[in-house]
């Protein structure tokens, strides 16, 4: 079963006269372990597609199967459960400012209150070391650089061993060098775990990390190009 | 292919390579942590509160304010009721006669003195002591100012009132124009205990009569009277000449030890005409308290004051929780996006409000104990902290914070994980 299988997906915002279709007949498959980049002009619907696949928004029409679950008609509880199996990386790091790097990463493990505290902390620490932040565990986001914060985000997205990583322009807020570092780190970490990635990016410099690039235009997935 | 198969060649590869990576495994628990359901959100709430000291302090101040206000209101309320009961609580008799029209002992309707003699006819009754109550003008012997004082007239040998100092004074009080002064009376009367210690018995003016202050007793001021003078029935009437000698205000009935109080009460009831009702000591106290609680606006005023304190406190806590959520909407939305259910976030808000309840209550309680002492010293009211009142206020403030939390929680709906990307 493919981690992502989207078929003839349509999505519209608004009602009545204000109704605007932003996704039209989108079909997209991401295979196990695959790194797929989603590009396209602003407003073409990339983020919308990502929120539907990430179960952050209700699916209206078509089919959207993620990690073996059909999301059309899925209840809020099912969507929450699915989100726990997905690692999210946002454009802005979205770390919690009052928590240390380690505590932020551990938040992805606290959802499962059964895991002992010590194990959570150990796993979070190991994951931070894996993203190159050993020694920075006890810093709060305010005391980390932009690139370091995104690495914490990567650690948080991966620490619970998700079946899929979704990222929306994770390098947009970073300079060229740290953007490249973050993109490659994410790709490497996911690859080593066999975790598929669907990443939206405008950044042509990181297209090289992709197994496949899907371009979107005006709500349609227009081309599937090899990088 | 591309660079993905040769990660070691990447110029950006982090120093820490794959060797350090932990194996990705789904989180599996070995032993369940009981209480994690509530403790984890509570810890999260605490970390969030702690991060913003100024906000935390203002929230604590808000709760403390409510705690203080409610404590003061309840304290005053019970002090007033206690003080209104002061005179009755020193009465030493099993049964009492009072005119049913009297709303309270301190506002008596006339009771025929003959009822006391009638009561003596009932088997088991050893004493039936008429007690006279009135307000009169007291001339402060130090500065000549005039204060209202309560006069209590009764047979000092009857022991119908148990007040410290009274026993030894009974012979002196039998003398013409002799009175005893309540040491707990407010200082406006002229610091009489000090004066008495200095000079011994001295003359004072009560209404238009000079009387001799022959000793000190201990009763305590009440809501109706800032001070008390005790005297014999005869001396009472000498001061208050306009009073009908055939009427009294209250009759205290003492029974022979071992007498069945309920049976004596029934007997008395059966012989008393409708202008006298027969009450036990507890019934008289309850009747008096009921009057102060219901017939006067006092009960309402203090309940209203307490409610205001709680409402203001709730609004403050709500405001702080609400703006806290508003300021952290992105963070709450992030939590929702990574798989936290709304219930978890609701527990965070609830925990925050209850943490504030505790953090505001404890210093509020300490401050209040101090304030009680200051106020009691200034007003001579019996203001004391009781465990029961502390528990009641804690429950009220806990409820207040929980209500604020429930209201603020609605704001969580605005945290939409779909806005995160
Ligand atoms: N919550 C929303 N309500 C209404 N319209 C929306 C909403 N979110 C997005 N849109 C509209 O839907 C269209 C697609 O938006 P989307 O964010 O998916 O594009 P995008 O490809 O991610 O663009 P960008 O590259 O600028 O991020 C846009 O026209 C946008 O204005
Ligand atoms: Mg977008």
């Amino acid at each position: 079963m493919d981690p992502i299988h989207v078929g003839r997906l349509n999505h519209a915002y608004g009602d009545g006269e204000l109704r605007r279709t932003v996704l039209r007949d989108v079909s997209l498959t991401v295979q196990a372990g695959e790194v797929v980049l989603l590009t396209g002009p602003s407003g073409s619907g990339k983020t919308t597609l990502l929120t539907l696949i990430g179960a952050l928004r209700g699916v209206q029409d078509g089919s959207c199967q993620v990690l073996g679950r059909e999301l059309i008609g899925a209840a809020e509880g099912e969507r929450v459960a699915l989100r726990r199996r997905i690692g999210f990386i946002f454009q802005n790091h979205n770390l919690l400012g009052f928590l240390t790097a380690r505590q932020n990463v551990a938040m992805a493990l606290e959802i499962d209150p059964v895991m002992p505290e010590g194990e959570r902390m150990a796993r979070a620490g190991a994951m931070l070391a894996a993203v190159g932040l050993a020694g920075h565990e006890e810093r709060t986001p305010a005391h980390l650089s932009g690139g370091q914060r995104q690495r914490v985000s990567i650690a948080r997205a991966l620490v619970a061993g998700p079946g899929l990583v979704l990222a929306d322009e994770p390098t947009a807020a970073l300079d060229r060098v740290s953007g490249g570092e973050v993109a490659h780190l994410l790709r490497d970490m996911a690859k080593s775990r066999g975790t598929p990635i669907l990443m939206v990016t405008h950044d042509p410099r990181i297209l090289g990390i992709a197994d496949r690039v899907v371009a979107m235009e005006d709500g349609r997935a227009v081309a599937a190009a090899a990088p | 292919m591309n660079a993905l198969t040769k990660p070691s060649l990447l110029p950006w590869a982090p120093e820490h390579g794959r060797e350090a990576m932990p194996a990705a495994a789904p989180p599996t628990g070995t032993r369940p942590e009981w209480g994690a359901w509530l403790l984890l959100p509570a810890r999260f709430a605490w970390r969030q509160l702690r991060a913003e000291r100024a906000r935390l302090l203002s929230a604590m101040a808000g709760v403390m304010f409510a705690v203080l206000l409610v404590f003061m209101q309840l304290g005053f309320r019970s002090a007033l009721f206690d003080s209104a009961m002061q005179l009755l609580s020193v009465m030493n008799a099993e049964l009492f006669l009072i005119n049913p029209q009297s709303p309270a002992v301190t506002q008596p309707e006339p009771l025929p003195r003959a009822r006391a003699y009638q009561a003596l006819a009932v088997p088991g009754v050893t004493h039936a002591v008429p007690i006279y109550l009135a307000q009169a003008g007291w001339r402060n012997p130090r500065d000549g100012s005039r204060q209202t004082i309560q006069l209590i007239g009764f047979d000092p040998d009857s022991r119908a009132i148990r007040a410290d100092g009274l026993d030894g004074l009974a012979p002196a009080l039998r003398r013409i124009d002799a009175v005893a002064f309540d040491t707990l009376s407010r200082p406006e009367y002229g610091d009489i205990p000090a004066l008495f210690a200095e000079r011994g018995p001295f003359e004072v003016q009560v209404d238009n009569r000079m009387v001799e202050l022959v000793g000190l007793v201990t009763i305590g001021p009440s809501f109706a009277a800032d001070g008390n003078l005790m005297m014999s029935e005869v001396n009472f009437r000498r001061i208050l000449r306009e009073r009908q000698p055939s009427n009294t205000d209250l009759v205290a009935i003492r029974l022979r030890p071992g007498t069945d109080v309920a049976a004596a009460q029934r007997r008395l009831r059966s012989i008393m005409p409708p202008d006298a009702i027969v009450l036990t000591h507890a019934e008289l106290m309850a009747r008096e308290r009921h009057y102060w609680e219901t017939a006067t606006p006092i009960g309402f005023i203090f309940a209203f004051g307490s409610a205001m304190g709680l409402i203001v406190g709730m609004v403050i806590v709500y405001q702080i929780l609400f703006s806290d959520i508003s300021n952290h909407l992105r963070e709450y939305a992030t939590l929702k996006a990574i798989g936290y259910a709304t219930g978890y976030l609701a527990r965070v808000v609830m925990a925050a409000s209850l943490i504030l309840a505790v953090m505001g209550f404890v210093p509020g309680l300490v401050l209040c104990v101090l304030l009680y002492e200051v106020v009691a010293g200034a007003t001579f009211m019996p203001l004391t902290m009781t465990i029961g009142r502390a528990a009641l206020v804690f429950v009220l403030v806990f409820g207040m914070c929980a209500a604020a939390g429930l209201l603020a929680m609605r704001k969580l709906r605005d945290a939409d994980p779909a806005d995160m990307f």
Side-chain angles (χ1 to χ4, degrees):
Chain A
M1 174 118 253
D2 295 322
I4 300 178
H5 186 84
V6 172
R8 303 191 70 93
L9 191 66
N10 291 289
H11 196 86
Y13 287 114
D15 272 318
E17 296 213 338
L18 295 173
R19 188 174 170 86
R20 264 197 41 178
T21 302
V22 296
L23 291 182
R24 305 162 206 272
D25 275 345
V26 172
S27 295
L28 169 74
T29 299
V30 173
Q31 292 167 354
E34 207 179 9
V35 174
V36 176
L37 292 197
L38 206 53
T39 64
S42 186
S44 57
K46 305 179 297 291
T47 295
T48 304
L49 180 58
L50 215 60
T51 58
L52 292 175
I53 292 171
L56 298 170
R57 201 187 282 288
V59 177
Q60 296 169 344
D61 182 48
S63 166
C64 185
Q65 289 171 27
V66 179
L67 299 176
R69 286 210 94 90
E70 174 57 63
L71 283 173
I72 190 144
E76 172 66 15
E78 290 175 71
R79 292 202 276 139
V80 170
L82 179 63
R83 294 208 285 264
R84 295 180 181 181
R85 298 167 56 206
I86 299 176
F88 290 94
I89 299 168
F90 308 98
Q91 171 172 344
N92 293 306
H93 57 86
N94 284 350
L95 299 174
L96 304 176
F98 55 91
L99 296 183
T100 64
R102 186 199 298 272
Q103 289 166 345
N104 263 289
V105 175
M107 280 311 286
L109 296 171
E110 265 188 37
I111 301 173
D112 168 24
V114 170
M115 182 184 291
E117 173 76 6
E119 187 180 342
R120 274 199 293 268
M121 287 302 151
R123 283 201 195 196
M127 190 51 82
L128 282 169
V131 297
L133 288 178
H136 295 67
E137 293 90 346
E138 308 313 325
R139 295 199 185 178
T140 55
H143 296 99
L144 294 170
S145 71
Q148 288 172 326
R149 286 178 208 159
Q150 252 343 8
R151 290 188 199 196
V152 178
S153 297
I154 292 173
R156 180 176 70 185
L158 292 174
V159 71
L164 169 68
V165 169
L166 297 178
D168 196 353
E169 307 194 36
T171 62
L174 304 180
D175 62 49
R176 193 185 66 80
V177 174
S178 47
E181 279 177 8
V182 162
H184 281 85
L185 173 67
L186 175 58
R187 196 277 313 271
D188 291 351
M189 306 256 315
K191 277 288 172 190
S192 71
R193 292 166 166 73
T195 311
I197 300 179
L198 180 61
M199 183 195 295
V200 171
T201 186
H202 274 308
D203 189 347
R205 297 173 313 240
I206 64 169
L207 294 184
I209 68 165
D211 296 330
R212 199 149 58 87
V213 176
V214 174
M216 293 207 52
E217 208 166 288
D218 197 20
R220 295 174 199 277
V222 288
Chain B
M1 274 288 272
N2 53 33
L4 75 91
T5 52
K6 300 184 282 293
S8 52
L9 298 181
L10 290 171
W12 310 287
E15 313 73 25
H16 300 267
R18 287 174 168 184
E19 305 76 46
M21 290 177 196
T28 50
T30 46
R31 62 185 167 86
E33 286 193 357
W34 302 112
W37 185 83
L38 197 64
L39 283 180
L40 289 179
R43 185 176 67 177
F44 185 88
W46 167 237
R47 286 172 173 169
Q48 191 173 15
L49 285 173
R50 191 186 51 181
E52 283 172 79
R53 294 280 154 82
R55 198 185 288 278
L56 176 60
L57 285 178
S58 59
M60 276 174 63
V63 176
M64 261 175 73
F65 168 77
V67 167
L68 274 184
L69 212 62
V70 175
F71 265 132
M72 289 324 283
Q73 298 286 333
L74 292 180
F76 279 136
R77 178 178 184 273
S78 86
L80 281 182
F81 290 147
D82 286 353
S83 77
M85 300 291 117
Q86 203 97 27
L87 178 58
L88 290 186
S89 64
V90 297
M91 299 252 171
N92 177 35
E94 289 81 10
L95 293 168
F96 293 86
L97 301 180
I98 188 170
N99 185 325
Q101 306 292 328
S102 303
V105 169
T106 44
Q107 280 124 288
E109 292 291 325
L111 177 70
R113 202 175 182 285
R115 302 290 168 259
Y117 305 126
Q118 286 172 280
L120 282 170
V122 170
V125 173
T126 57
H127 297 74
V129 187
I131 295 175
Y132 299 79
L133 297 169
Q135 309 264 332
W138 162 275
R139 180 83 60 196
N140 181 329
R142 289 187 192 264
D143 61 13
S145 66
R146 230 174 125 83
Q147 317 282 340
T148 301
I149 196 162
Q150 171 149 294
L151 308 190
I152 306 162
F154 77 113
D155 174 5
D157 291 315
S158 69
R159 297 176 183 251
I161 292 179
R162 202 170 12 208
D164 281 351
L166 184 60
D167 285 352
L169 276 177
L173 283 175
R174 274 197 300 271
R175 297 205 300 266
I176 286 296
D177 287 339
V179 298
F181 184 85
D182 176 7
T183 48
L184 294 179
S185 303
R186 294 179 53 93
E188 285 82 12
Y189 295 100
D191 198 7
I192 302 306
L195 212 56
F196 186 80
E198 229 171 81
R199 304 187 191 165
F202 58 92
E203 286 221 312
V204 286
Q205 187 185 337
V206 178
D207 274 1
N208 294 319
R209 192 167 192 88
M210 293 310 289
V211 293
E212 189 184 19
L213 201 153
V214 296
L216 300 172
V217 293
T218 305
I219 302 171
S222 77
F223 194 47
D226 286 339
N228 298 296
L229 272 186
M230 226 176 224
M231 64 208 69
S232 71
E233 202 179 323
V234 174
N235 288 331
F236 180 91
R237 273 202 246 115
R238 288 166 70 89
I239 296 172
L240 294 154
R241 290 180 176 279
E242 71 282 5
R243 288 277 301 243
Q244 281 262 346
S246 59
N247 285 335
T248 184
D249 299 310
L250 182 71
V251 172
I253 296 172
R254 296 187 60 194
L255 304 177
R256 184 175 302 118
T259 308
D260 180 349
V261 176
Q265 187 180 20
R266 277 195 302 276
R267 289 289 296 273
L268 283 163
R269 274 182 181 155
S270 67
I271 63 164
M272 285 299 155
D275 60 8
I277 48 171
V278 188
L279 301 172
T280 62
H281 194 195
E283 284 167 352
L284 183 67
M285 299 273 284
R287 188 177 189 272
E288 192 78 359
R289 180 172 279 268
H290 180 76
Y291 167 77
W292 289 104
E293 282 181 359
T294 58
T296 66
I298 300 167
F300 174 76
I301 287 168
F302 289 110
F304 185 76
S306 305
M308 286 310 290
L310 290 173
I311 288 171
V312 170
M314 190 187 80
V315 170
I316 293 174
V317 174
Y318 167 75
Q319 269 292 313
I320 282 171
L321 291 174
F322 182 89
S323 63
D324 228 29
I325 298 173
S326 305
N327 293 340
H328 294 105
L329 267 190
R330 260 192 101 69
E331 297 173 342
Y332 283 114
T334 305
L335 290 179
K336 279 190 183 176
I338 69 175
Y340 282 93
T342 312
Y344 177 93
L345 303 182
R347 292 199 293 280
V348 168
V349 174
M350 218 51 206
S353 66
L354 299 184
I355 289 170
L356 290 179
V358 175
M359 291 189 68
F361 178 79
V362 174
L365 176 68
V366 172
L367 202 63
C368 221
V369 170
L370 299 178
L371 212 59
Y372 270 7
E373 268 178 37
V374 172
V375 174
T379 62
F380 293 85
M381 288 216 280
L383 263 182
T384 44
M385 181 63 70
T386 61
I387 303 240
R389 189 178 310 142
L392 172 68
V393 172
F394 183 70
V395 168
L396 287 174
V397 166
F398 207 72
M400 170 191 96
C401 287
L406 282 174
L407 285 176
M409 225 178 251
R410 294 177 310 167
K411 183 70 183 163
L412 283 176
R413 279 188 241 143
D414 292 352
D416 185 355
D419 295 339
M420 292 316 301
F421 278 142

